[in-house]
Amino acid sequence: MEEKKFDKNSVIGFALLFVLILWMMYNSSQEQQKAQTGKATTAQKSTPKKDTPAATPALPTDTTVTDSNAVKAAESKFGKFAYAATLPAAKGGTTVLENDLVKIVVANQGGAVQQVTLKKFEKFRKNSGQLVQLVDQKNAQFNLEIKTTDNRVLQTKDLFFEPQLTKVGADQVLSMKLKAGPNAFLEYKYVLKANDYMLDFDVRSQGLRNVLAPNDPVQLDWSLKTFRNEISIPYENRYTETIFEYEDGKDDYVGQGQGKEENPEAVTYVAYRQHFFASVLMTNKPFKTAKLTSDDLVKDAEKDTVFTKQLTTRVPLELAQGELDYKMNWYFGPADYQLLNNYDRNLDEVVPMGWGIFGWINKFIFVPLFGLLGGWMAFGWAIILFTIIIKLAMSPITFKSFLSQAKMKVLRPEITELNTKFKDPVKRQQEMMKLYSKAGVNPMAGCIPALIQLPFVYASFQFFPAAIELRQKSFLWAEDLSSFDAIVKLPFYIPLYGNHISLFPILAAIAIFFYMKMTSGDNAAMAQPAQEGMPDMAKLMKIMIYVSPIMMLIFFNSYGSGLSLYNFMSNVVTIGVMLVIKKYFIDSDKIHAQIQENKQKPAKESKFQRKMREMMEQAEAQKQLKGKK
């Protein structure tokens, strides 16, 4: 048999086949790794589309990467939480929660809210094309400072949470877990409902009893640099502040200015109000203590600014049996009184309606009435009709005031005569009280109606600046009833006045001038003659005729035009009511005849007159005792 020779071509063929097989095996391995990595990356980075948040795919419960070398490399930095650094979430990424009202972006790093956009509100002016953003550009920070059993102090803002987004009915549920192991984690749980600004927010831990230092509470830090959202910087900044509520339901606030601080106890919510918007953190389990600070960031109101204030909150979260468990809520939305009141969490106190009787007037009269009128007419006309209704309702009180002024005017000659006849102040006052008693006139009757109206005046100064209904609503030349109605832009800045001229404050100043001019005569007649050591009220009233309009021009130039419109209409309606009362209801001759008739009757002394008489008699007796000594 012939011996087979060495076939070079066969060797080459076998070699090529061997290489081909190795390449196919290697390529198959690479494809499998890419497929696995691709799935993890897709699950990590996928976010819901803008209009379909429900379409976001749910992430797997556990995407643990069991790379022991990576775990060991992270242990020196993160201790027990090194495990979280080895997960796909550690590469970054965000998850979106969104409904028709608000869009909220939550970041893997820190597990906290990174962006909040209010979809129904625009910045500065209508059709500006810029939506209001309460959180963006790293202006906010939410962080838990954790002390561990291995003597580390970790900041959750530096750690990575693993997201899992699901839907429960119409609710979007986002679980953000900071893992210390497959079944040990710190969780932030967000729940956003449809058509709601409120987020459920639970903070809890599981399996961390041997990780968290048992004797040290977890420190919660929340800070916000408030964005400027309105045209007028000083006006918006005036109504930007921190409000908080105690466990007993009472509320308070951190003062305005630089370096302001409050340290309340048993706090149930902390709210950062930005004039017409608010960011609120609520808790079912009151925070034991809180450190709240506020710093004004507006150094010069003449210049444009991005931020108005720096607000911070630091509170301890107590451990229960070595674990965290807090049921909380976030509210990101408009500072709308009726909307906040509907939550039944005392959040209506975030809107500055005033304290005591002023708050009652706003809450139970102004808010319902104005809401009713604004529901079926333009808000400018609603303000006008609102003013007319309030003033007509107050007209009986106005009538009482004018009637008292008319009586005092009739008695003015006799009062002057007594002032001339009796030089001793005490004796002169006693004789005047006798005259008032005989004539059946109460000198305080004209002041009491005016005092009754004062709470309504003050309440209006609280109500209109807080009425979000007026925001970006136009009327006549005013583009925004919640801001000033500039008709002229000045090339320079006037201290206390501004760099523009608003028209409604000018009209209000003119109305105040004519009102005070028309009433100054009656007020002067009502005032008693000047006494030694006492100010001359008649002269003071004449000065106020000019001072009041000037103050209106200066201080209201940068206020909301809705408030100026109300003040203008208020004085116009009051002038009209006054003219009608004087012409058809006040007859000086009849009043004079009635006073003369009263003088013939036995004097009926009122409690006020009796008290004044007793005081005068005591003063006279003391004077006589001193004279004898």
Side-chain angles (χ1 to χ4, degrees):
M1 178 180 274
E2 185 176 348
E3 186 178 354
K4 193 172 183 179
K5 296 183 180 179
F6 178 79
D7 188 351
K8 183 173 65 174
N9 291 330
S10 297
V11 173
I12 294 173
F14 278 110
L16 290 174
L17 182 61
F18 180 75
V19 172
L20 179 62
I21 292 172
L22 289 177
W23 179 82
M24 291 175 65
M25 292 175 63
Y26 175 81
N27 188 60
S28 176
S29 175
Q30 290 295 107
E31 289 296 326
Q32 288 179 1
Q33 290 182 11
K34 286 181 179 180
Q36 291 176 357
T37 306
K39 288 179 181 179
T41 305
T42 301
Q44 170 63 27
K45 294 184 176 180
S46 62
T47 56
K49 296 180 181 179
K50 182 175 182 181
D51 298 321
T52 57
T56 303
L59 292 173
T61 304
D62 189 6
T63 57
T64 305
V65 178
T66 57
D67 187 339
S68 59
N69 292 329
V71 172
K72 290 179 180 178
E75 280 181 351
S76 61
K77 184 175 182 181
F78 302 120
K80 299 292 180 66
F81 288 101
Y83 183 85
T86 67
L87 304 179
K91 296 179 181 179
T94 61
T95 306
V96 176
L97 298 171
E98 187 173 10
N99 59 25
D100 292 338
L101 302 177
V102 62
K103 177 182 177 182
I104 299 172
V105 179
V106 180
N108 288 358
Q109 184 172 2
V113 172
Q114 185 182 70
Q115 186 182 86
V116 176
T117 305
L118 303 184
K119 300 165 72 172
K120 301 294 185 181
F121 297 92
E122 292 181 287
K123 296 181 70 171
F124 306 127
R125 55 180 57 82
K126 194 174 182 179
N127 299 321
S128 68
Q130 303 178 63
L131 293 177
V132 169
Q133 291 185 303
L134 301 182
V135 180
D136 195 23
Q137 302 175 23
K138 298 183 179 180
N139 72 314
Q141 186 177 94
F142 181 85
N143 175 63
L144 297 187
E145 183 180 278
I146 300 172
K147 293 183 180 180
T148 62
T149 52
D150 57 355
N151 296 320
R152 297 176 186 273
V153 178
L154 301 177
Q155 312 294 334
T156 58
K157 65 181 180 179
D158 300 326
L159 303 174
F160 289 88
F161 289 65
E162 187 175 47
Q164 183 177 6
L165 180 63
T166 57
K167 288 198 69 175
V168 179
D171 299 346
Q172 299 168 58
V173 181
L174 174 61
S175 170
M176 303 292 294
K177 291 182 179 178
L178 172 61
K179 292 188 172 182
N183 298 307
F185 54 81
L186 170 68
E187 181 186 35
Y188 297 163
K189 184 179 179 181
Y190 301 87
V191 180
L192 179 64
K193 301 177 178 64
N195 199 40
D196 200 348
Y197 290 103
M198 186 74 76
L199 269 170
D200 292 343
F201 178 60
D202 296 346
V203 176
R204 74 180 188 95
S205 65
Q206 176 179 302
L208 299 184
R209 187 173 301 178
N210 297 322
V211 176
L212 303 178
N215 299 323
D216 295 306
V218 174
Q219 296 295 331
L220 182 156
D221 291 297
W222 175 38
S223 65
L224 180 70
K225 288 172 66 176
T226 56
F227 280 120
R228 174 197 167 197
N229 292 308
E230 312 302 329
I231 297 174
S232 175
I233 297 173
Y235 194 51
E236 178 181 10
N237 203 24
R238 186 181 298 118
Y239 293 97
T240 298
E241 61 185 352
T242 299
I243 302 96
F244 57 92
E245 183 195 45
Y246 293 101
E247 187 177 10
D248 61 5
K250 295 180 180 179
D251 60 278
D252 207 341
Y253 62 93
V254 179
Q256 300 269 0
Q258 203 69 25
K260 299 299 181 180
E261 181 178 324
E262 292 289 335
N263 295 276
E265 298 179 354
V267 175
T268 56
Y269 75 66
V270 177
Y272 296 157
R273 187 184 69 230
Q274 299 171 239
H275 197 178
F276 291 123
F277 305 99
S279 304
V280 188
L281 177 61
M282 292 154 275
T283 175
N284 290 344
K285 184 193 302 182
F287 300 132
K288 187 175 180 180
T289 60
K291 179 181 179 181
L292 311 174
T293 68
S294 174
D295 288 285
D296 197 338
L297 301 180
V298 179
K299 305 303 180 185
D300 189 348
E302 299 179 41
K303 298 178 181 179
D304 197 5
T305 185
V306 176
F307 302 106
T308 54
K309 281 189 171 69
Q310 173 72 62
L311 309 174
T312 71
T313 296
R314 184 173 176 84
V315 298
L317 301 183
E318 302 290 334
L319 299 177
Q321 297 180 348
E323 301 283 3
L324 271 179
D325 188 10
Y326 274 78
K327 304 291 185 182
M328 296 191 279
N329 295 89
W330 284 110
Y331 175 86
F332 297 106
D336 184 317
Y337 174 80
Q338 292 182 317
L339 174 63
L340 292 172
N341 191 45
N342 289 337
Y343 285 110
D344 197 25
R345 297 284 296 270
N346 208 31
L347 292 179
D348 55 289
E349 297 298 335
V350 172
V351 183
M353 287 292 178
W355 53 273
I357 188 173
F358 313 116
W360 299 340
I361 290 171
N362 278 326
K363 293 175 183 178
F364 302 116
I365 299 177
F366 283 10
V367 169
L369 178 59
F370 191 72
L372 176 66
L373 297 175
W376 57 278
M377 65 174 64
F379 280 99
W381 295 110
I383 292 174
I384 292 173
L385 184 56
F386 172 85
T387 311
I388 293 172
I389 292 173
I390 294 295
K391 284 299 176 181
L392 289 179
M394 302 291 289
S395 59
I397 298 174
T398 306
F399 172 76
K400 288 284 187 181
S401 180
F402 288 154
L403 180 61
S404 179
Q405 290 176 6
K407 288 180 178 180
M408 293 298 293
K409 188 175 182 180
V410 169
L411 287 178
R412 179 70 180 183
E414 295 181 59
I415 294 173
T416 303
E417 183 180 344
L418 291 176
N419 191 56
T420 305
K421 183 177 180 180
F422 297 97
K423 301 299 181 183
D424 181 68
V426 176
K427 184 65 175 176
R428 182 169 60 238
Q429 193 66 34
Q430 287 177 332
E431 294 299 322
M432 285 184 180
M433 294 305 297
K434 289 179 182 178
L435 174 63
Y436 295 148
S437 180
K438 288 181 180 180
V441 175
N442 186 346
M444 296 300 293
C447 299
I448 293 173
L451 291 175
I452 293 174
Q453 295 184 67
L454 275 179
F456 287 84
V457 174
Y458 183 80
S460 70
F461 280 81
Q462 296 288 106
F463 173 73
F464 285 102
I468 193 173
E469 296 90 342
L470 301 180
R471 188 176 187 268
Q472 297 178 358
K473 299 298 190 300
S474 61
F475 180 66
L476 300 178
W477 58 84
E479 295 182 357
D480 185 349
L481 286 169
S482 72
S483 186
F484 52 78
D485 57 313
I487 56 171
V488 176
K489 185 75 173 179
L490 301 175
F492 49 85
Y493 188 91
I494 301 174
L496 300 178
Y497 187 74
N499 59 352
H500 62 273
I501 298 175
S502 299
L503 183 53
F504 274 128
I506 295 175
L507 295 177
I510 293 172
I512 286 176
F513 175 79
F514 281 106
Y515 167 74
M516 298 194 71
K517 191 75 173 176
M518 293 175 68
T519 58
S520 61
D522 293 335
N523 289 332
M526 184 177 172
Q528 294 186 18
Q531 300 180 19
E532 185 179 352
M534 299 293 289
D536 191 334
M537 296 303 297
K539 289 183 179 179
L540 187 61
M541 289 175 188
K542 289 180 180 179
I543 294 172
M544 290 303 297
I545 292 174
Y546 301 97
V547 172
S548 295
I550 292 173
M551 291 177 64
M552 171 63 72
L553 282 173
I554 293 175
F555 293 108
F556 279 72
N557 190 60
S558 293
Y559 266 67
S561 52
L563 179 60
S564 298
L565 172 60
Y566 171 80
N567 278 282
F568 167 63
M569 287 304 305
S570 178
N571 285 286
V572 169
V573 173
T574 302
I575 290 172
V577 170
M578 181 185 67
L579 291 174
V580 170
I581 290 175
K582 283 189 173 183
K583 185 173 182 179
Y584 296 103
F585 296 96
I586 301 294
D587 188 328
S588 297
D589 293 334
K590 287 184 178 180
I591 291 173
H592 184 269
Q594 183 64 49
I595 288 176
Q596 297 307 316
E597 183 181 339
N598 290 341
K599 286 182 179 180
Q600 304 304 318
K601 297 178 181 179
K604 292 183 179 180
E605 199 173 41
S606 66
K607 291 183 179 180
F608 172 77
Q609 290 169 336
R610 184 175 69 254
K611 190 68 176 177
M612 289 296 294
R613 176 178 58 77
E614 291 173 354
M615 289 173 62
M616 293 299 103
E617 289 175 353
Q618 290 175 4
E620 181 66 21
Q622 289 178 359
K623 185 177 178 181
Q624 290 177 359
L625 286 174
K626 288 182 179 180
K628 290 179 181 179
K629 291 180 181 179

